[in-house]
């Protein structure tokens, strides 16, 4: 259902800058699926919140609890963030939106080995998924940001990605009467009526934090519905969690990530220089990257920070060979 809602917003986002002034947008007063409206803000509601075992501790049991999540945004802020996320007005030449790289139907990735920025510029890393991103305390492949608001400054103001700058973003938004009204609706208690960068970042963070994936057949099985998974899927789950494969040591349920930096030694594609990843912050983590979520993983090929592997079978074969074996 959430995919249909988001896809319907794409057309709205692409057209919002061209809509006549006499037409009126009104932001949603309802929370997205998985959230409950409490004291005028949306709060996450999940069965995982009833479990007190710690996510990220060991291999993680099926009834492992959730870490802290960014919530308590208003429905209006979430809805405004959705408009901004899908609107190419956010790029310098109005050709790219956040959704240009984070497609809902591709697991909020883009299906490419390496991302593509403004004017077709090839980027150095693949586009990570945004599912459950509101839970993560390390963002970007190299873990270089710790909040959604800080992270989005990178692609928005990068000359290679969206190519924009703070003054142009604010000029474009403040001169758009529809957005001017929507921001007043989403931030009614703001001391200033004009649109500011902190409001922009809050709205987009609100939308991204609403992208929750915690109700798959796996989750139904974890909550006690024994028939939710097929026999071969149960076999795979047992191998995934076993001391032989050790997959779940890094990909802890229910997020299927321990939110840590891992140095696994995947080879770079031909023509790309070695990417030191988190090593630019900590020398001991040279070649290290954030452990990604496996949620909706079938939709986000190709895999790894450089899109090195085309299929999940390629990924499994790499790990079967022992991490680090593919590079010096």
């Amino acid at each position: 259902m959430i995919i249909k809602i988001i896809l319907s917003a794409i057309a709205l986002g692409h057209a919002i800058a061209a809509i006549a002034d006499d037409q009126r947008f009104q932001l949603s007063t309802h929370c997205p699926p998985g959230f409950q409206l409490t004291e005028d803000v949306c709060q996450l509601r999940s069965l995982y919140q009833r479990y007190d075992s710690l996510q990220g501790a060991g291999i993680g049991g099926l009834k492992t609890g959730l870490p802290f999540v960014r919530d308590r945004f208003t429905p209006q802020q979430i809805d405004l963030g959705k408009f901004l996320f899908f609107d190419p007005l956010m790029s310098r030449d109005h050709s790219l939106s956040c959704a240009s790289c984070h497609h809902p139907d591709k697991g909020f990735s883009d299906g490419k080995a390496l991302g593509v920025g403004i004017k077709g510029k090839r980027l150095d890393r693949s586009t990570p998924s945004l599912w459950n991103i509101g839970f993560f305390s390390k963002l970007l492949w190299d873990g270089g940001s710790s909040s959604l608001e800080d992270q989005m400054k990178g692609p928005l103001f990068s000359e290679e990605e969206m190519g924009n700058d703070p003054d142009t973003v604010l000029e474009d938004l403040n001169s758009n009467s529809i957005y001017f009204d929507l921001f007043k609706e989403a931030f009614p208690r703001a001391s200033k009526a004009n649109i500011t960068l902190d409001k922009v970042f809050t709205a987009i963070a609100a939308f991204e934090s609403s992208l929750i994936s915690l109700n798959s057949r796996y989750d139904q099985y974890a909550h006690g519905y024994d028939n939710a998974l097929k026999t071969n899927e149960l076999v795979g789950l047992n191998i995934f969690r076993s001391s032989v494969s050790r997959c779940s040591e890094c990909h802890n349920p229910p997020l299927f990530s321990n939110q840590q930096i891992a140095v696994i030694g995947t080879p770079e594609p031909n023509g790309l220089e070695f990417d030191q990843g988190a090593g630019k912050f900590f020398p001991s983590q040279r070649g290290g990257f954030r452990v990604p979520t496996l949620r909706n993983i079938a939709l986000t090929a190709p895999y790894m920070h450089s899109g090195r592997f085309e299929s999940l079978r390629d990924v499994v074969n790499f790990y079967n060979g022992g991490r680090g074996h593919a590079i010096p």
Side-chain angles (χ1 to χ4, degrees), residues 169-181:
V169 169
L170 294 180
E171 181 180 352
D172 285 344
L173 291 175
N174 278 294
S175 62
N176 185 295
S177 60
I178 296 175
Y179 269 127
F180 195 83
D181 290 341

Side-chain angles (χ1 to χ4, degrees), residues 147-168:
S147 73
L148 290 171
E149 290 87 345
D150 179 65
Q151 177 275 327
M152 67 185 68
K153 298 175 187 177
L156 185 58
F157 300 139
S158 167
E159 293 183 0
E160 297 181 339
E161 296 189 52
M162 299 181 76
N164 222 327
D165 62 79
D167 291 339
T168 302

Side-chain angles (χ1 to χ4, degrees), residues 71-85:
D71 60 0
R72 302 187 64 83
F73 296 103
T74 68
Q76 293 84 356
Q77 290 168 348
I78 295 171
D79 206 27
L80 173 58
K82 180 171 63 177
F83 282 122
L84 295 171
F85 188 89

Side-chain angles (χ1 to χ4, degrees), residues 61-115:
L62 297 185
K63 287 181 167 52
T64 302
L66 290 167
F68 172 80
V69 64
R70 293 290 306 278
D71 60 0
R72 302 187 64 83
F73 296 103
T74 68
Q76 293 84 356
Q77 290 168 348
I78 295 171
D79 206 27
L80 173 58
K82 180 171 63 177
F83 282 122
L84 295 171
F85 188 89
F86 286 97
D87 199 331
L89 185 70
M90 297 299 291
S91 62
R92 173 171 283 277
D93 62 0
H94 301 173
S95 66
L96 293 175
S97 68
C98 303
S100 296
C101 290
H102 297 284
H103 296 271
D105 59 346
K106 297 184 182 298
F108 283 94
S109 183
D110 60 5
K112 300 179 175 66
L114 298 173

Side-chain angles (χ1 to χ4, degrees), residues 141 244-245 247 250-251 262-269 274 287-289 291-292 303-328:
W141 274 111
V244 177
S245 69
C247 305
C250 290
H251 296 285
V263 182
I264 61 173
T266 57
E268 305 291 358
F274 174 74
F289 297 91
V291 175
Y303 304 106
M304 303 299 184
H305 70 279
S306 62
R308 180 64 173 80
F309 299 128
E310 293 289 336
S311 69
L312 289 172
R313 184 174 292 274
D314 292 338
V315 175
V316 173
N317 287 339
F318 166 76
Y319 280 109
N320 283 345
R323 67 180 189 178
H325 72 279
I327 60 175

